[in-house]
PDB file of all heavy atoms in Angstrom:
ATOM      1  N   THR A 196      93.703-290.555 -26.063  1.00  0.00           N
ATOM      2  CA  THR A 196      93.639-291.326 -27.305  1.00  0.00           C
ATOM      3  C   THR A 196      94.597-290.762 -28.351  1.00  0.00           C
ATOM      4  O   THR A 196      95.159-291.503 -29.161  1.00  0.00           O
ATOM      5  CB  THR A 196      92.198-291.316 -27.869  1.00  0.00           C
ATOM      6  OG1 THR A 196      91.307-291.847 -26.892  1.00  0.00           O
ATOM      7  CG2 THR A 196      92.094-292.149 -29.136  1.00  0.00           C
ATOM      8  N   TRP A 197      94.800-289.437 -28.306  1.00  0.00           N
ATOM      9  CA  TRP A 197      95.664-288.795 -29.295  1.00  0.00           C
ATOM     10  C   TRP A 197      97.143-288.865 -28.923  1.00  0.00           C
ATOM     11  O   TRP A 197      98.004-288.664 -29.779  1.00  0.00           O
ATOM     12  CB  TRP A 197      95.248-287.336 -29.474  1.00  0.00           C
ATOM     13  CG  TRP A 197      96.046-286.632 -30.528  1.00  0.00           C
ATOM     14  CD1 TRP A 197      96.968-285.649 -30.345  1.00  0.00           C
ATOM     15  CD2 TRP A 197      96.017-286.875 -31.941  1.00  0.00           C
ATOM     16  NE1 TRP A 197      97.509-285.260 -31.542  1.00  0.00           N
ATOM     17  CE2 TRP A 197      96.945-285.998 -32.546  1.00  0.00           C
ATOM     18  CE3 TRP A 197      95.288-287.756 -32.751  1.00  0.00           C
ATOM     19  CZ2 TRP A 197      97.158-285.975 -33.918  1.00  0.00           C
ATOM     20  CZ3 TRP A 197      95.512-287.735 -34.125  1.00  0.00           C
ATOM     21  CH2 TRP A 197      96.429-286.856 -34.692  1.00  0.00           C
ATOM     22  N   LEU A 198      97.479-289.182 -27.688  1.00  0.00           N
ATOM     23  CA  LEU A 198      98.877-289.169 -27.244  1.00  0.00           C
ATOM     24  C   LEU A 198      99.810-290.044 -28.099  1.00  0.00           C
ATOM     25  O   LEU A 198     100.926-289.609 -28.415  1.00  0.00           O
ATOM     26  CB  LEU A 198      98.970-289.584 -25.779  1.00  0.00           C
ATOM     27  CG  LEU A 198      98.672-288.475 -24.754  1.00  0.00           C
ATOM     28  CD1 LEU A 198      98.850-289.013 -23.338  1.00  0.00           C
ATOM     29  CD2 LEU A 198      99.554-287.257 -24.975  1.00  0.00           C
ATOM     30  N   PRO A 199      99.414-291.281 -28.482  1.00  0.00           N
ATOM     31  CA  PRO A 199     100.318-292.058 -29.350  1.00  0.00           C
ATOM     32  C   PRO A 199     100.649-291.339 -30.652  1.00  0.00           C
ATOM     33  O   PRO A 199     101.789-291.416 -31.137  1.00  0.00           O
ATOM     34  CB  PRO A 199      99.523-293.352 -29.609  1.00  0.00           C
ATOM     35  CG  PRO A 199      98.602-293.468 -28.438  1.00  0.00           C
ATOM     36  CD  PRO A 199      98.236-292.071 -28.083  1.00  0.00           C
ATOM     37  N   ALA A 200      99.677-290.634 -31.215  1.00  0.00           N
ATOM     38  CA  ALA A 200      99.929-289.877 -32.447  1.00  0.00           C
ATOM     39  C   ALA A 200     100.905-288.733 -32.186  1.00  0.00           C
ATOM     40  O   ALA A 200     101.769-288.435 -33.024  1.00  0.00           O
ATOM     41  CB  ALA A 200      98.615-289.337 -33.010  1.00  0.00           C
ATOM     42  N   SER A 201     100.792-288.084 -31.025  1.00  0.00           N
ATOM     43  CA  SER A 201     101.722-286.997 -30.677  1.00  0.00           C
ATOM     44  C   SER A 201     103.143-287.525 -30.508  1.00  0.00           C
ATOM     45  O   SER A 201     104.112-286.850 -30.876  1.00  0.00           O
ATOM     46  CB  SER A 201     101.266-286.306 -29.386  1.00  0.00           C
ATOM     47  OG  SER A 201     100.110-285.536 -29.606  1.00  0.00           O
ATOM     48  N   VAL A 202     103.279-288.729 -29.953  1.00  0.00           N
ATOM     49  CA  VAL A 202     104.604-289.354 -29.830  1.00  0.00           C
ATOM     50  C   VAL A 202     105.171-289.622 -31.222  1.00  0.00           C
ATOM     51  O   VAL A 202     106.365-289.397 -31.482  1.00  0.00           O
ATOM     52  CB  VAL A 202     104.515-290.652 -29.009  1.00  0.00           C
ATOM     53  CG1 VAL A 202     105.858-291.387 -29.014  1.00  0.00           C
ATOM     54  CG2 VAL A 202     104.105-290.346 -27.569  1.00  0.00           C
ATOM     55  N   LEU A 203     104.318-290.108 -32.129  1.00  0.00           N
ATOM     56  CA  LEU A 203     104.756-290.330 -33.509  1.00  0.00           C
ATOM     57  C   LEU A 203     105.152-289.012 -34.178  1.00  0.00           C
ATOM     58  O   LEU A 203     106.089-288.983 -34.977  1.00  0.00           O
ATOM     59  CB  LEU A 203     103.643-291.006 -34.313  1.00  0.00           C
ATOM     60  CG  LEU A 203     103.405-292.481 -34.024  1.00  0.00           C
ATOM     61  CD1 LEU A 203     102.126-292.959 -34.700  1.00  0.00           C
ATOM     62  CD2 LEU A 203     104.596-293.325 -34.481  1.00  0.00           C
ATOM     63  N   PHE A 204     104.456-287.930 -33.840  1.00  0.00           N
ATOM     64  CA  PHE A 204     104.809-286.617 -34.384  1.00  0.00           C
ATOM     65  C   PHE A 204     106.230-286.225 -33.975  1.00  0.00           C
ATOM     66  O   PHE A 204     106.989-285.693 -34.790  1.00  0.00           O
ATOM     67  CB  PHE A 204     103.811-285.566 -33.893  1.00  0.00           C
ATOM     68  CG  PHE A 204     104.123-284.167 -34.342  1.00  0.00           C
ATOM     69  CD1 PHE A 204     103.790-283.742 -35.616  1.00  0.00           C
ATOM     70  CD2 PHE A 204     104.765-283.272 -33.499  1.00  0.00           C
ATOM     71  CE1 PHE A 204     104.092-282.447 -36.048  1.00  0.00           C
ATOM     72  CE2 PHE A 204     105.069-281.979 -33.907  1.00  0.00           C
ATOM     73  CZ  PHE A 204     104.731-281.566 -35.184  1.00  0.00           C
ATOM     74  N   VAL A 205     106.583-286.517 -32.729  1.00  0.00           N
ATOM     75  CA  VAL A 205     107.958-286.251 -32.270  1.00  0.00           C
ATOM     76  C   VAL A 205     108.944-287.075 -33.093  1.00  0.00           C
ATOM     77  O   VAL A 205     110.002-286.576 -33.512  1.00  0.00           O
ATOM     78  CB  VAL A 205     108.105-286.566 -30.772  1.00  0.00           C
ATOM     79  CG1 VAL A 205     109.541-286.316 -30.309  1.00  0.00           C
ATOM     80  CG2 VAL A 205     107.149-285.714 -29.946  1.00  0.00           C
ATOM     81  N   GLY A 206     108.594-288.339 -33.354  1.00  0.00           N
ATOM     82  CA  GLY A 206     109.444-289.184 -34.194  1.00  0.00           C
ATOM     83  C   GLY A 206     109.574-288.638 -35.601  1.00  0.00           C
ATOM     84  O   GLY A 206     110.662-288.679 -36.202  1.00  0.00           O
ATOM     85  N   ILE A 207     108.479-288.100 -36.132  1.00  0.00           N
ATOM     86  CA  ILE A 207     108.487-287.537 -37.490  1.00  0.00           C
ATOM     87  C   ILE A 207     109.476-286.374 -37.595  1.00  0.00           C
ATOM     88  O   ILE A 207     110.327-286.340 -38.491  1.00  0.00           O
ATOM     89  CB  ILE A 207     107.070-287.057 -37.886  1.00  0.00           C
ATOM     90  CG1 ILE A 207     106.137-288.241 -38.112  1.00  0.00           C
ATOM     91  CG2 ILE A 207     107.127-286.199 -39.153  1.00  0.00           C
ATOM     92  CD1 ILE A 207     104.681-287.847 -38.266  1.00  0.00           C
ATOM     93  N   ILE A 208     109.376-285.427 -36.675  1.00  0.00           N
ATOM     94  CA  ILE A 208     110.214-284.223 -36.791  1.00  0.00           C
ATOM     95  C   ILE A 208     111.666-284.514 -36.408  1.00  0.00           C
ATOM     96  O   ILE A 208     112.588-283.942 -36.998  1.00  0.00           O
ATOM     97  CB  ILE A 208     109.639-283.061 -35.960  1.00  0.00           C
ATOM     98  CG1 ILE A 208     109.546-283.414 -34.475  1.00  0.00           C
ATOM     99  CG2 ILE A 208     108.272-282.658 -36.495  1.00  0.00           C
ATOM    100  CD1 ILE A 208     109.078-282.251 -33.588  1.00  0.00           C
ATOM    101  N   TYR A 209     111.887-285.419 -35.440  1.00  0.00           N
ATOM    102  CA  TYR A 209     113.263-285.732 -35.034  1.00  0.00           C
ATOM    103  C   TYR A 209     113.977-286.496 -36.155  1.00  0.00           C
ATOM    104  O   TYR A 209     115.072-286.114 -36.594  1.00  0.00           O
ATOM    105  CB  TYR A 209     113.257-286.553 -33.749  1.00  0.00           C
ATOM    106  CG  TYR A 209     114.638-286.920 -33.259  1.00  0.00           C
ATOM    107  CD1 TYR A 209     115.368-286.039 -32.464  1.00  0.00           C
ATOM    108  CD2 TYR A 209     115.232-288.134 -33.608  1.00  0.00           C
ATOM    109  CE1 TYR A 209     116.646-286.365 -32.028  1.00  0.00           C
ATOM    110  CE2 TYR A 209     116.509-288.467 -33.184  1.00  0.00           C
ATOM    111  CZ  TYR A 209     117.213-287.579 -32.390  1.00  0.00           C
ATOM    112  OH  TYR A 209     118.484-287.910 -31.971  1.00  0.00           O
ATOM    113  N   ALA A 210     113.360-287.590 -36.614  1.00  0.00           N
ATOM    114  CA  ALA A 210     113.981-288.399 -37.663  1.00  0.00           C
ATOM    115  C   ALA A 210     114.070-287.611 -38.966  1.00  0.00           C
ATOM    116  O   ALA A 210     115.055-287.728 -39.709  1.00  0.00           O
ATOM    117  CB  ALA A 210     113.182-289.684 -37.876  1.00  0.00           C
ATOM    118  N   GLY A 211     113.047-286.785 -39.245  1.00  0.00           N
ATOM    119  CA  GLY A 211     113.088-285.970 -40.454  1.00  0.00           C
ATOM    120  C   GLY A 211     114.237-284.983 -40.444  1.00  0.00           C
ATOM    121  O   GLY A 211     114.890-284.767 -41.459  1.00  0.00           O
ATOM    122  N   SER A 212     114.504-284.397 -39.279  1.00  0.00           N
ATOM    123  CA  SER A 212     115.614-283.463 -39.150  1.00  0.00           C
ATOM    124  C   SER A 212     116.950-284.164 -39.368  1.00  0.00           C
ATOM    125  O   SER A 212     117.833-283.647 -40.062  1.00  0.00           O
ATOM    126  CB  SER A 212     115.575-282.807 -37.765  1.00  0.00           C
ATOM    127  OG  SER A 212     116.634-281.887 -37.608  1.00  0.00           O
ATOM    128  N   ARG A 213     117.088-285.352 -38.772  1.00  0.00           N
ATOM    129  CA  ARG A 213     118.334-286.119 -38.945  1.00  0.00           C
ATOM    130  C   ARG A 213     118.536-286.507 -40.411  1.00  0.00           C
ATOM    131  O   ARG A 213     119.662-286.458 -40.923  1.00  0.00           O
ATOM    132  CB  ARG A 213     118.285-287.380 -38.075  1.00  0.00           C
ATOM    133  CG  ARG A 213     118.232-287.143 -36.572  1.00  0.00           C
ATOM    134  CD  ARG A 213     119.548-286.621 -36.029  1.00  0.00           C
ATOM    135  NE  ARG A 213     120.635-287.554 -36.172  1.00  0.00           N
ATOM    136  CZ  ARG A 213     121.045-288.409 -35.216  1.00  0.00           C
ATOM    137  NH1 ARG A 213     120.406-288.420 -34.058  1.00  0.00           N
ATOM    138  NH2 ARG A 213     122.060-289.215 -35.407  1.00  0.00           N
ATOM    139  N   ALA A 214     117.447-286.912 -41.076  1.00  0.00           N
ATOM    140  CA  ALA A 214     117.553-287.336 -42.473  1.00  0.00           C
ATOM    141  C   ALA A 214     117.848-286.157 -43.396  1.00  0.00           C
ATOM    142  O   ALA A 214     118.710-286.242 -44.277  1.00  0.00           O
ATOM    143  CB  ALA A 214     116.261-288.027 -42.898  1.00  0.00           C
ATOM    144  N   LEU A 215     117.140-285.035 -43.187  1.00  0.00           N
ATOM    145  CA  LEU A 215     117.294-283.874 -44.061  1.00  0.00           C
ATOM    146  C   LEU A 215     118.691-283.262 -43.962  1.00  0.00           C
ATOM    147  O   LEU A 215     119.181-282.655 -44.909  1.00  0.00           O
ATOM    148  CB  LEU A 215     116.234-282.828 -43.726  1.00  0.00           C
ATOM    149  CG  LEU A 215     116.069-281.664 -44.703  1.00  0.00           C
ATOM    150  CD1 LEU A 215     115.692-282.175 -46.098  1.00  0.00           C
ATOM    151  CD2 LEU A 215     115.016-280.693 -44.202  1.00  0.00           C
ATOM    152  N   SER A 216     119.348-283.437 -42.817  1.00  0.00           N
ATOM    153  CA  SER A 216     120.703-282.897 -42.654  1.00  0.00           C
ATOM    154  C   SER A 216     121.720-283.647 -43.513  1.00  0.00           C
ATOM    155  O   SER A 216     122.803-283.126 -43.792  1.00  0.00           O
ATOM    156  CB  SER A 216     121.122-282.958 -41.182  1.00  0.00           C
ATOM    157  OG  SER A 216     121.277-284.297 -40.751  1.00  0.00           O
ATOM    158  N   ARG A 217     121.359-284.869 -43.960  1.00  0.00           N
ATOM    159  CA  ARG A 217     122.300-285.702 -44.698  1.00  0.00           C
ATOM    160  C   ARG A 217     121.883-285.979 -46.139  1.00  0.00           C
ATOM    161  O   ARG A 217     122.698-286.433 -46.937  1.00  0.00           O
ATOM    162  CB  ARG A 217     122.489-287.042 -43.973  1.00  0.00           C
ATOM    163  CG  ARG A 217     123.171-286.905 -42.612  1.00  0.00           C
ATOM    164  CD  ARG A 217     123.211-288.235 -41.870  1.00  0.00           C
ATOM    165  NE  ARG A 217     124.019-288.161 -40.660  1.00  0.00           N
ATOM    166  CZ  ARG A 217     125.324-288.378 -40.606  1.00  0.00           C
ATOM    167  NH1 ARG A 217     125.974-288.682 -41.705  1.00  0.00           N
ATOM    168  NH2 ARG A 217     125.983-288.298 -39.467  1.00  0.00           N
ATOM    169  N   LEU A 218     120.605-285.774 -46.444  1.00  0.00           N
ATOM    170  CA  LEU A 218     120.093-286.100 -47.776  1.00  0.00           C
ATOM    171  C   LEU A 218     119.676-284.843 -48.525  1.00  0.00           C
ATOM    172  O   LEU A 218     119.251-283.855 -47.925  1.00  0.00           O
ATOM    173  CB  LEU A 218     118.886-287.040 -47.666  1.00  0.00           C
ATOM    174  CG  LEU A 218     119.100-288.377 -46.958  1.00  0.00           C
ATOM    175  CD1 LEU A 218     117.767-289.129 -46.862  1.00  0.00           C
ATOM    176  CD2 LEU A 218     120.141-289.219 -47.677  1.00  0.00           C
ATOM    177  N   ALA A 219     119.772-284.901 -49.832  1.00  0.00           N
ATOM    178  CA  ALA A 219     119.263-283.813 -50.674  1.00  0.00           C
ATOM    179  C   ALA A 219     117.735-283.787 -50.566  1.00  0.00           C
ATOM    180  O   ALA A 219     117.095-284.819 -50.344  1.00  0.00           O
ATOM    181  CB  ALA A 219     119.693-284.029 -52.124  1.00  0.00           C
ATOM    182  N   ILE A 220     117.150-282.615 -50.742  1.00  0.00           N
ATOM    183  CA  ILE A 220     115.701-282.467 -50.592  1.00  0.00           C
ATOM    184  C   ILE A 220     114.920-283.351 -51.571  1.00  0.00           C
ATOM    185  O   ILE A 220     113.952-284.015 -51.153  1.00  0.00           O
ATOM    186  CB  ILE A 220     115.296-280.985 -50.738  1.00  0.00           C
ATOM    187  CG1 ILE A 220     115.759-280.195 -49.499  1.00  0.00           C
ATOM    188  CG2 ILE A 220     113.793-280.839 -50.919  1.00  0.00           C
ATOM    189  CD1 ILE A 220     115.447-278.711 -49.545  1.00  0.00           C
ATOM    190  N   PRO A 221     115.288-283.458 -52.857  1.00  0.00           N
ATOM    191  CA  PRO A 221     114.533-284.361 -53.746  1.00  0.00           C
ATOM    192  C   PRO A 221     114.588-285.814 -53.296  1.00  0.00           C
ATOM    193  O   PRO A 221     113.594-286.542 -53.401  1.00  0.00           O
ATOM    194  CB  PRO A 221     115.227-284.182 -55.097  1.00  0.00           C
ATOM    195  CG  PRO A 221     115.857-282.834 -55.027  1.00  0.00           C
ATOM    196  CD  PRO A 221     116.289-282.680 -53.604  1.00  0.00           C
ATOM    197  N   VAL A 222     115.732-286.242 -52.776  1.00  0.00           N
ATOM    198  CA  VAL A 222     115.866-287.614 -52.261  1.00  0.00           C
ATOM    199  C   VAL A 222     114.986-287.794 -51.029  1.00  0.00           C
ATOM    200  O   VAL A 222     114.284-288.806 -50.882  1.00  0.00           O
ATOM    201  CB  VAL A 222     117.344-287.921 -51.929  1.00  0.00           C
ATOM    202  CG1 VAL A 222     117.477-289.278 -51.230  1.00  0.00           C
ATOM    203  CG2 VAL A 222     118.187-287.888 -53.194  1.00  0.00           C
ATOM    204  N   PHE A 223     115.012-286.813 -50.158  1.00  0.00           N
ATOM    205  CA  PHE A 223     114.199-286.869 -48.937  1.00  0.00           C
ATOM    206  C   PHE A 223     112.714-286.970 -49.284  1.00  0.00           C
ATOM    207  O   PHE A 223     111.979-287.764 -48.700  1.00  0.00           O
ATOM    208  CB  PHE A 223     114.473-285.628 -48.088  1.00  0.00           C
ATOM    209  CG  PHE A 223     113.634-285.539 -46.845  1.00  0.00           C
ATOM    210  CD1 PHE A 223     113.947-286.287 -45.718  1.00  0.00           C
ATOM    211  CD2 PHE A 223     112.519-284.703 -46.800  1.00  0.00           C
ATOM    212  CE1 PHE A 223     113.168-286.213 -44.568  1.00  0.00           C
ATOM    213  CE2 PHE A 223     111.737-284.616 -45.664  1.00  0.00           C
ATOM    214  CZ  PHE A 223     112.065-285.378 -44.539  1.00  0.00           C
ATOM    215  N   PHE A 224     112.260-286.180 -50.251  1.00  0.00           N
ATOM    216  CA  PHE A 224     110.848-286.206 -50.648  1.00  0.00           C
ATOM    217  C   PHE A 224     110.471-287.565 -51.245  1.00  0.00           C
ATOM    218  O   PHE A 224     109.383-288.088 -50.987  1.00  0.00           O
ATOM    219  CB  PHE A 224     110.568-285.110 -51.680  1.00  0.00           C
ATOM    220  CG  PHE A 224     110.451-283.730 -51.094  1.00  0.00           C
ATOM    221  CD1 PHE A 224     110.467-282.610 -51.913  1.00  0.00           C
ATOM    222  CD2 PHE A 224     110.326-283.539 -49.729  1.00  0.00           C
ATOM    223  CE1 PHE A 224     110.348-281.331 -51.384  1.00  0.00           C
ATOM    224  CE2 PHE A 224     110.218-282.263 -49.185  1.00  0.00           C
ATOM    225  CZ  PHE A 224     110.230-281.157 -50.015  1.00  0.00           C
ATOM    226  N   THR A 225     111.364-288.129 -52.055  1.00  0.00           N
ATOM    227  CA  THR A 225     111.081-289.425 -52.680  1.00  0.00           C
ATOM    228  C   THR A 225     110.916-290.517 -51.628  1.00  0.00           C
ATOM    229  O   THR A 225     110.009-291.354 -51.725  1.00  0.00           O
ATOM    230  CB  THR A 225     112.209-289.803 -53.656  1.00  0.00           C
ATOM    231  OG1 THR A 225     112.346-288.775 -54.649  1.00  0.00           O
ATOM    232  CG2 THR A 225     111.922-291.127 -54.343  1.00  0.00           C
ATOM    233  N   LEU A 226     111.764-290.502 -50.615  1.00  0.00           N
ATOM    234  CA  LEU A 226     111.646-291.487 -49.537  1.00  0.00           C
ATOM    235  C   LEU A 226     110.432-291.197 -48.657  1.00  0.00           C
ATOM    236  O   LEU A 226     109.731-292.125 -48.224  1.00  0.00           O
ATOM    237  CB  LEU A 226     112.928-291.477 -48.694  1.00  0.00           C
ATOM    238  CG  LEU A 226     114.212-291.863 -49.438  1.00  0.00           C
ATOM    239  CD1 LEU A 226     115.425-291.680 -48.526  1.00  0.00           C
ATOM    240  CD2 LEU A 226     114.144-293.301 -49.932  1.00  0.00           C
ATOM    241  N   HIS A 227     110.181-289.927 -48.405  1.00  0.00           N
ATOM    242  CA  HIS A 227     109.027-289.523 -47.589  1.00  0.00           C
ATOM    243  C   HIS A 227     107.714-290.041 -48.179  1.00  0.00           C
ATOM    244  O   HIS A 227     106.790-290.415 -47.442  1.00  0.00           O
ATOM    245  CB  HIS A 227     109.007-288.000 -47.484  1.00  0.00           C
ATOM    246  CG  HIS A 227     107.758-287.431 -46.889  1.00  0.00           C
ATOM    247  ND1 HIS A 227     107.607-287.213 -45.537  1.00  0.00           N
ATOM    248  CD2 HIS A 227     106.584-287.046 -47.465  1.00  0.00           C
ATOM    249  CE1 HIS A 227     106.398-286.718 -45.300  1.00  0.00           C
ATOM    250  NE2 HIS A 227     105.769-286.599 -46.454  1.00  0.00           N
TER     251      HIS A 227
END
């Protein structure tokens, strides 16, 4: 039952890493 959430967790950290490499931290937090 928890596996879909774990897949989303992978999406969170992967996409977050890609976004943070290109955006300033205040901008990233505002979008987050």
Side-chain angles (χ1 to χ4, degrees):
T196 302
W197 183 250
L198 279 182
S201 288
V202 174
L203 286 170
F204 177 80
V205 179
I207 289 170
I208 60 176
Y209 180 85
S212 180
R213 296 289 296 264
L215 191 60
S216 67
R217 294 174 172 272
L218 301 176
I220 289 178
V222 173
F223 177 79
F224 283 167
T225 302
L226 298 174
H227 170 90

